Amino acid sequence: MCIRDSCDQGYTPHDKPAEDVLRAWYGAAPRPTPTASPWPDYSRTMDIYRDSLAPGWEDWSWKAWRNLASTSQVYSGTRAITAMLGAWGGLSFWHPPFASDPYHWLEFYVRGLPPGGQHLWAYFEDGDGSELRGRPVDDCRYMEGGTVESGRWKRVRIPLSDLNAAGQLLTRISIENSSDESPVCFWLDEMRLVSAAEATGNTYYVAPNGNNANAGTRDAPWATPGYGSRQLQPGDTLIILGGRYVLSVYDDDIITPPSGTADAWVTIKGDDGNRPVLAGRDNLYSAINLAGLSYVRVENLEITHDSQAGGEGLYFRTGIAGSGTPVSHIVLKDLYIHHIDEGAMDFQDVDDLQVINCRMEYCGFGAIGGPAAEHGGWRNVHIQGCWLSYSGHYYQGGDGSNRPYDRPDGFGIEPAAGPIEIVDTVAEHNYGDGLDSKAANTTIRRCIVANNSCDGVKLWADNGLVENTLIYGRGDGDPQTTPWSAIVIGTEQANA
């Protein structure tokens, strides 16, 4: 379904699937199960550079022209670093010895000058001044896509353990030109050490045979996801055990958790290996309401209408709602949302949204979208490995021909600052456009956009990028000559 490359999870030189086969053939023990990566805790960081070098840090760079107060390109704040490194030169910052124990990652943002593709190497020195293990910055384990790009900021996050810097006394961080090419030019911003969030909170359970008078344990689970979600506190997890849950009562049956915090997210997830079904009916507003919330993860759920209902009981509006009040720091992963009347995911103003490995199809108003912004619109959004298809092919129990909205998109959002990243995603057979973004700083990479009724990809604002993406088939099977285009670039902004 998606175009694969060497950076795909599970298919890197570090983790080949064939290893399992060889181990079994030769009678070796199975590979150790990888531990889940922790979440960053941005309330516990050590700044290295943020508009300027943080207190205690000194510039010890070599063979490098640099401006530590550049305003030409900035990721965040008002200033960034511009660097031009000679062969084997380095941007390097020193600090009196400090313990790295509280921290889990080195993190920073980098942006290349044309043509991009800069090869950089990151490493620390210990308290004795000895160089520790280096790692390439342009590695897909640490940076999305594994390439420093021209015209685009990209986050780099390297575990300190990979740099042999965990649990060490450290003094110096260097970003080195790892070649004899000269000069190598780039911008760098927001460099810091970041802690991992500590496991906190309790785990509760919901089961079809539960009772809301129970304690919410695995042996005595609650009965309804809506009730369970309202009992949570920051750091808690609600596991919805396998089965079918009918949602019909506003707003008791709508999953409405509290916000988490940066170091204590709220998590709602389906049971591993036994994904539950949330079946809405009676024109219920949504299955999940995230409006006004922050630091919430939702994973491994199926959301659809109640196919066992009749008449207007079939009506069910939205999968995940997030409009009306700003939303931030949301992760939506491994969700299957289908055959609902309006949108699978509806957000108006959202900052830091990740939508990972979700399938959204047969939604009357479109897969992902939302109304015009009131508080900044969509910012810092990453969509990866998703299926956004057949929008408009269903409405209120029928084939969609009676839907009130004539052009539902696979992805369609109103003007915003961005950035928006859509990668490894399929958008096909939508009655509107495949991917339609009015947000600035929209990147579409390694996607398939096929057989949509209207335009394939549509970009309306500054600094958009479409790369390594297959786009074909307008009209969605209609043999008549189509007025629609594979790619539309439309903007009223001068010099976009």
Side-chain angles (χ1 to χ4, degrees), residues 18-103:
E19 182 179 343
D20 291 330
V21 178
L22 292 172
R23 283 175 175 266
W25 178 264
Y26 288 105
R31 284 182 302 142
T33 301
T35 57
S37 177
W39 292 89
D41 178 1
Y42 288 108
S43 68
R44 297 186 296 144
T45 62
M46 180 181 184
D47 288 339
I48 301 173
Y49 179 92
R50 193 173 186 181
D51 281 346
S52 63
L53 282 178
W57 290 92
E58 300 177 7
D59 181 8
W60 284 24
S61 303
W62 74 95
K63 295 181 68 175
W65 176 91
R66 64 274 188 198
N67 179 359
L68 303 189
S70 173
T71 58
S72 59
Q73 295 291 340
V74 176
Y75 174 76
S76 180
T78 59
R79 289 173 290 185
I81 298 172
T82 304
M84 182 169 62
L85 305 183
W88 312 110
L91 186 67
S92 186
F93 305 123
W94 179 90
H95 190 282
F98 65 94
S100 68
D101 301 78
Y103 308 108

Side-chain angles (χ1 to χ4, degrees), residues 59-239:
D59 181 8
W60 284 24
S61 303
W62 74 95
K63 295 181 68 175
W65 176 91
R66 64 274 188 198
N67 179 359
L68 303 189
S70 173
T71 58
S72 59
Q73 295 291 340
V74 176
Y75 174 76
S76 180
T78 59
R79 289 173 290 185
I81 298 172
T82 304
M84 182 169 62
L85 305 183
W88 312 110
L91 186 67
S92 186
F93 305 123
W94 179 90
H95 190 282
F98 65 94
S100 68
D101 301 78
Y103 308 108
H104 191 87
W105 294 279
L106 167 68
E107 182 179 283
F108 57 90
Y109 290 80
V110 64
R111 176 181 177 133
L113 271 73
Q118 287 82 355
H119 297 296
L120 302 172
W121 196 257
Y123 60 88
F124 283 96
E125 293 180 13
D126 66 14
D128 296 326
S130 299
E131 183 177 317
L132 302 177
R133 179 193 298 148
R135 282 290 182 260
V137 169
D138 50 333
D139 185 309
C140 53
R141 293 171 295 173
Y142 313 135
M143 172 198 295
E144 188 265 315
T147 303
V148 178
E149 294 187 18
S150 168
R152 180 185 174 211
W153 287 99
K154 299 182 78 171
R155 184 186 67 200
V156 179
R157 184 187 288 163
I158 307 176
L160 294 185
S161 57
D162 286 13
L163 296 164
N164 200 25
Q168 296 269 19
L169 204 60
L170 304 178
T171 61
R172 189 176 182 182
I173 172 63
S174 298
I175 307 297
E176 182 179 294
N177 173 12
S178 60
S179 71
D180 57 4
E181 298 178 3
S182 180
V184 168
C185 305
F186 59 94
W187 287 278
L188 185 144
D189 202 359
E190 295 290 302
M191 177 178 273
R192 57 193 167 185
L193 299 175
V194 181
S195 299
E198 298 176 358
T200 60
N202 301 308
T203 299
Y204 298 102
Y205 295 85
V206 170
N209 62 349
N211 188 313
N212 287 342
N214 286 343
T217 64
R218 179 134 200 162
D219 294 332
W222 293 316
T224 60
Y227 176 85
S229 71
R230 288 168 172 79
Q231 313 313 307
L232 303 179
Q233 298 294 326
D236 288 348
T237 296
L238 178 67
I239 296 179

Side-chain angles (χ1 to χ4, degrees), residues 265-276:
W265 286 59
V266 169
T267 300
I268 296 174
K269 59 184 295 188
D271 193 19
D272 291 341
N274 191 15
R275 182 162 60 189

